[in-house]
Amino acid sequence: YGVTDFEVPDGVTQISTGAFAGCDKLESVKIGKKVQQIGDFAFQLCTALTKVEFVADCALTYIGQRAFYGDSALVSVVLPAKLATLDNQAFLNCSALETVNMPSSLSSLGSDVFKSTAIVDKQKEENAELYYVGNWVVGCDAQNLYNKVDVIADAENTSYEKTLIIKANTVGIAAYAFSSFEKLTLVNMPATVK
């Protein structure tokens, strides 16, 4: 656990589940060209991790559940160009995470991937209805949305309706992004959403 810097060797194609979990001295990691998958919990609770670098033309297509969970010193990540899937809670509780470069190849974003990060927390403070990371909707503020709903009432019932308008350049919506807003009735979806 005393490793501070690690470069994944050229022949490695997968970083296994929990491979570096709890390595609280690890400060930087360089992901090699042939790595295709980072397993669940691979770098979980590496609290000193400040730098994750993906080599040019990295083959990485999948980052597993909670792969970088709780890496509280991580501020910025540039995800590789071939990444297709960021699984559930991959960057959950990365409290300092301010910027993430989302590749155009990304086609699947799990639930709570960026929950409790500086990116989302800043949008919460600004009372945003929807939370974005790059061109992806990653969540919503149900309370803020409830405060803005149109109320239609008659003698027998009250129903709540809300139409959300998604930004024109949005390319995707994370799993369960609207799960906390049960009364959502209509989403105006741009053609850019995959």
Side-chain angles (χ1 to χ4, degrees):
Y1 289 116
V3 176
T4 58
D5 302 293
F6 187 78
E7 184 171 343
V8 178
D10 285 339
V12 175
T13 60
Q14 177 179 329
I15 299 172
S16 297
T17 298
F20 294 88
C23 290
D24 58 1
K25 303 286 188 256
L26 186 64
E27 296 174 6
S28 72
V29 63
K30 186 173 184 178
I31 309 296
K33 186 175 184 171
K34 293 183 181 179
V35 175
Q36 298 171 14
Q37 179 175 340
I38 295 177
D40 298 345
F41 319 109
F43 295 96
Q44 176 176 279
L45 298 173
C46 294
T47 54
L49 188 63
T50 59
K51 183 178 181 182
V52 177
E53 180 184 352
F54 300 93
V55 299
D57 203 29
C58 182
L60 187 71
T61 60
Y62 176 82
I63 295 178
Q65 294 184 39
R66 293 188 169 210
F68 294 94
Y69 169 85
D71 294 352
S72 55
L74 193 59
V75 175
S76 178
V77 175
V78 176
L79 296 171
K82 295 178 183 173
L83 185 66
T85 302
L86 255 177
D87 212 337
N88 300 331
Q89 304 175 343
F91 290 95
L92 175 68
N93 289 341
C94 292
S95 56
L97 190 60
E98 296 175 347
T99 59
V100 177
N101 182 345
M102 304 280 271
S104 60
S105 59
L106 193 65
S107 60
S108 178
L109 189 64
S111 66
D112 297 331
V113 171
F114 298 105
K115 187 174 182 178
S116 298
T117 63
I119 299 167
V120 171
D121 290 348
K122 181 179 179 188
Q123 293 174 67
K124 284 181 180 181
E125 290 171 9
E126 295 169 351
N127 291 319
E129 288 182 359
L130 300 176
Y131 309 139
Y132 287 86
V133 174
N135 291 335
W136 280 78
V137 176
V138 298
C140 72
D141 180 342
Q143 186 60 48
N144 194 7
L145 290 171
Y146 278 120
N147 291 338
K148 295 180 180 181
V149 294
D150 300 319
V151 178
I152 301 169
D154 62 29
E156 294 187 23
N157 85 17
T158 301
S159 64
Y160 299 91
E161 295 182 3
K162 176 64 183 176
T163 301
L164 287 179
I165 299 173
I166 308 293
K167 290 181 186 178
N169 62 349
T170 301
V171 297
I173 298 172
Y176 301 100
F178 303 124
S179 65
S180 61
F181 190 57
E182 302 123 16
K183 302 291 184 179
L184 183 63
T185 58
L186 181 64
V187 178
N188 184 349
M189 197 79 62
T192 54
V193 174
K194 300 175 188 178

